[in-house]
Amino acid sequence: MDQFGELALIIGDFHIPMRAHDIPEKFKDLLVPNKVQNVICTGNVGSKEMTDYLKGLSDNFYMVKGDYDDNQQLPENKVITIGKFKVGIVHGHQIVPWGDDEALANYARELDCDILVSGHTHQHKINSVGGKFFVNPGSATGAYSSFKTETYPSFILLEILSTSIKAFIYEYKNGKCQITKGSLIDDKEEEEQ
């Protein structure tokens, strides 16, 4: 990793063509090949064309099986390493109650990972419990969800540096792409430990 870090696109829950037609054009303008070093997909893509599009964004493509994915070759979960951080990936339907912080923390401990990436709820979220960090990119298409009456297309970009991780939440709302910046781990937290 250089001084700018390694970029990881966190994305999932497309449900194409069952619940949505495509990702927003504004997202396609942003998500072009060779801009990120890693693509992490939480599953439920729905179409081979979209899976191929995601694979074309980076040589490091990781995807797990969602509850609507037909591809039996996809793993239920996966652990990868980016920089010094172990990243666990799971769709999220296996973690009950869905999206629950304590249940996510237990699953992260089972996978022995620093960061757990999960989806299923179609709601983007970044938080931590007990030293474990959780990243949920929401739905890339804003596909219908039984959890929330309004869902908006979203994905998360992580900038992983040697001692910090910055998060950028991209959400397409009211015809515009809104970006919210946050941190999972910052240099100050690292120095205090």
Side-chain angles (χ1 to χ4, degrees):
M1 288 188 293
D2 61 17
Q3 66 183 9
F4 297 108
E6 199 166 331
L7 297 177
L9 169 65
I10 315 295
I11 197 163
D13 286 304
F14 296 76
H15 293 280
I16 296 172
M18 290 75 68
R19 298 184 195 176
H21 180 262
D22 206 351
I23 63 173
E25 282 299 319
K26 297 250 187 215
F27 282 6
K28 285 185 179 179
D29 292 343
L30 295 169
L31 302 176
V32 295
N34 304 315
K35 296 291 182 188
V36 297
Q37 288 75 40
N38 301 278
V39 174
I40 298 172
C41 180
T42 62
N44 281 352
V45 174
S47 77
K48 181 182 179 329
E49 294 78 20
M50 185 53 68
T51 302
D52 291 344
Y53 168 76
L54 293 172
K55 285 180 181 178
L57 296 178
S58 172
D59 291 336
N60 299 317
F61 174 75
Y62 310 99
M63 181 173 162
V64 293
K65 186 178 186 316
D67 53 338
Y68 285 93
D69 286 320
D70 291 331
N71 184 346
Q72 298 303 314
Q73 303 302 318
L74 291 171
E76 285 289 319
N77 60 53
K78 185 169 191 66
V79 178
I80 62 171
T81 301
I82 301 176
K84 69 174 191 173
F85 301 100
K86 288 172 66 175
V87 181
I89 312 161
V90 63
H91 174 64
H93 67 280
Q94 310 92 325
I95 302 171
V96 179
W98 297 326
D100 178 77
D101 289 343
E102 189 174 324
L104 289 166
N106 288 336
Y107 203 88
R109 279 191 291 279
E110 285 178 32
L111 293 183
D112 189 29
C113 60
D114 305 303
I115 303 164
L116 180 64
V117 173
S118 67
H120 190 62
T121 64
H122 298 208
Q123 297 175 19
H124 63 76
K125 185 177 178 182
I126 297 174
N127 68 328
S128 67
V129 172
K132 302 292 183 183
F133 299 89
F134 311 119
V135 178
N136 185 325
S139 168
T141 59
Y144 164 81
S145 167
S146 60
F147 300 107
K148 197 172 181 184
T149 55
E150 283 189 279
T151 57
Y152 297 98
S154 63
F155 66 85
I156 294 176
L157 190 64
L158 296 181
E159 179 187 23
I160 302 170
L161 300 159
S162 60
T163 60
S164 66
I165 301 175
K166 306 278 187 251
F168 302 87
I169 300 170
Y170 290 73
E171 184 173 44
Y172 186 73
K173 201 173 188 178
N174 302 321
K176 296 180 181 174
C177 186
Q178 301 172 0
I179 305 167
T180 306
K181 183 180 175 185
S183 292
L184 269 85
I185 302 171
D186 64 29
D187 293 326
K188 293 178 194 121
E189 286 178 22
E190 196 70 20
E191 290 169 8
E192 292 172 4
Q193 295 179 359

